[in-house]
């Protein structure tokens, strides 16, 4: 009986660790540990920030406020080969022969930055540095990034990337004001996080329902099968006016 219980426990733990949400939390915790190695007198780390946005709320994995600017970090605890272009809606993860599409993390982080810009209007008009951090086990095969203030890197490169900016743009007084504002805005209580998750899930279910009916969730036109450099996918028949593509595997 004891051995059977241990086996069930191992299986349950394996299933839990395979969950995307659990993997994401593990990745965020690992990066938070690394970020706390920064000089805490200069670099102020805010983890798991939930602030208002034009679509309700937006959740930001990590924000680092420093004399050298503000760094906004999106964590992707993905391994394997990563393919993607800064302008594409979806990127591709390849592990052996299995391909998975995921939303462009640069676009995702851009949404976070726009929410921060709005929240900190009048307090900060400098550059928001966008960092997308992947697992150290990820390999970038074809990832194209041209924007000077965007970095797509492995987690072990994050500290070096942040420290690479050494021109002072914020006074200590400004930093205190920004941190106070973020603390005021942060809706990090359990109920707000639950509402945020429900908001994301509702939007995702609506999109999936439209795709299952072969209908574009953006404009209502028919979806058609297309082939790109990363394989087959579903795209809107109204392209290029509508650029919706489905990450659903074909």
């Amino acid at each position: 009986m004891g051995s059977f219980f241990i086996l069930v426990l191992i299986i349950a733990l394996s299933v839990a660790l395979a969950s995307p949400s659990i993997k994401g939390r593990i990745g965020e915790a690992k990066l938070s540990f690394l970020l706390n190695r920064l000089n805490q007198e200069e670099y102020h780390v805010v983890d798991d920030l939930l602030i208002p946005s034009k679509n309700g709320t937006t959740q930001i994995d990590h924000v680092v406020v420093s004399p050298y600017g503000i760094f906004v970090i999106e964590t992707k605890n993905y391994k394997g080969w990563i393919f993607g272009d800064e302008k594409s809606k979806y990127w591709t993860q390849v592990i052996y022969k299995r391909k998975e599409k995921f939303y462009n993390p640069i676009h995702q982080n851009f949404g976070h930055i726009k929410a921060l810009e709005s929240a900190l209007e009048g307090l900060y008009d400098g550059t928001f540095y966008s960092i997308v951090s992947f697992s150290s086990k990820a390999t970038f095969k074809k990832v194209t990034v041209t924007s000077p203030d965007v970095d797509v890197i492995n987690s072990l490169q994050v500290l070096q990337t942040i420290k690479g900016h050494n021109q002072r743009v914020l006074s200590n007084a400004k930093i205190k004001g920004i941190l106070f504002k973020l603390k005021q805005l942060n809706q990090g209580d359990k109920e707000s996080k639950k509402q945020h998750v429900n908001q994301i899930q509702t939007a995702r279910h609506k999109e999936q329902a439209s795709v299952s009916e072969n209908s574009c969730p953006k404009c209502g036109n028919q979806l058609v099968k297309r082939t790109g450099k990363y394989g087959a996918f579903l795209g809107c028949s109204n392209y290029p006016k509508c650029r919706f593509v489905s990450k659903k595997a074909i």
Side-chain angles (χ1 to χ4, degrees):
M1 179 65 74
S3 298
F4 177 75
F5 176 76
I6 292 172
L7 178 61
V8 171
L9 187 62
I10 291 172
I11 293 172
L13 184 61
S14 300
V15 171
L17 290 175
S19 160
S21 60
I22 297 297
K23 283 183 178 179
R25 287 297 180 184
I26 291 172
E28 291 171 27
K30 286 180 179 178
L31 191 58
S32 179
F33 175 78
L34 288 174
L35 291 173
N36 280 302
R37 293 184 180 181
L38 291 165
N39 182 347
Q40 295 183 16
E41 292 183 3
E42 286 194 304
Y43 298 93
H44 306 270
V45 181
V46 182
D47 297 317
D48 198 17
L49 180 65
L50 185 63
I51 62 173
S53 71
K54 65 177 183 179
N55 295 321
T57 54
T58 188
Q59 186 269 333
I60 308 173
D61 293 339
H62 314 279
V63 176
V64 180
V65 183
S66 78
Y68 316 106
I70 297 179
F71 302 86
V72 185
I73 306 171
E74 172 64 24
T75 305
K76 293 297 178 190
N77 193 24
Y78 293 177
K79 60 183 180 179
W81 289 358
I82 306 297
F83 298 82
D85 182 274
E86 186 175 355
K87 297 179 181 179
S88 301
K89 182 173 181 180
Y90 291 105
W91 286 16
T92 304
Q93 174 195 36
V94 179
I95 300 177
Y96 299 108
K97 293 184 179 181
R98 182 168 59 86
K99 294 182 180 180
E100 295 285 345
K101 289 187 179 293
F102 59 98
Y103 188 65
N104 183 338
I106 295 177
H107 290 182
Q108 189 175 359
N109 217 28
F110 178 76
H112 298 160
I113 287 172
K114 296 306 289 183
L116 275 175
E117 281 182 346
S118 177
L120 298 177
E121 187 176 4
L123 286 174
Y124 181 70
D125 58 1
T127 301
F128 289 85
Y129 297 102
S130 176
I131 298 176
V132 178
S133 169
F134 279 83
S135 161
S136 58
K137 295 180 181 179
T139 302
F140 305 117
K141 299 301 284 186
K142 289 183 181 178
V143 175
T144 306
V145 180
T146 57
S147 298
D149 302 322
V150 176
D151 289 286
V152 178
I153 53 180
N154 293 115
S155 57
L156 297 179
Q157 298 173 297
V158 170
L159 297 191
Q160 180 184 356
T161 299
I162 291 174
K163 290 178 180 179
H165 298 273
N166 51 25
Q167 183 176 351
R168 288 181 173 268
V169 296
L170 280 173
S171 66
N172 289 336
K174 282 279 190 181
I175 290 172
K176 286 181 180 179
I178 289 169
L179 292 172
F180 180 76
K181 183 68 173 180
L182 293 180
K183 186 176 180 180
Q184 277 187 318
L185 291 171
N186 192 8
Q187 302 177 14
D189 59 273
K190 289 184 178 180
E191 185 58 33
S192 295
K193 286 183 178 180
K194 184 178 179 181
Q195 290 176 2
H196 177 69
V197 170
N198 289 339
Q199 172 188 318
I200 294 172
Q201 289 178 340
T202 299
R204 189 177 295 160
H205 289 156
K206 285 182 179 179
E207 180 176 307
Q208 290 173 345
S210 292
V211 171
S212 65
E213 295 173 0
N214 210 37
S215 174
C216 175
K218 275 195 170 183
C219 68
N221 280 280
Q222 185 179 7
L223 295 177
V224 295
K225 185 177 179 180
R226 301 186 189 279
T227 303
K229 56 184 177 181
Y230 304 129
F233 64 94
L234 288 174
C236 182
S237 58
N238 198 29
Y239 177 88
K241 288 184 178 181
C242 177
R243 295 178 177 270
F244 174 81
V245 295
S246 172
K247 65 178 180 179
K248 181 181 177 181
I250 296 180

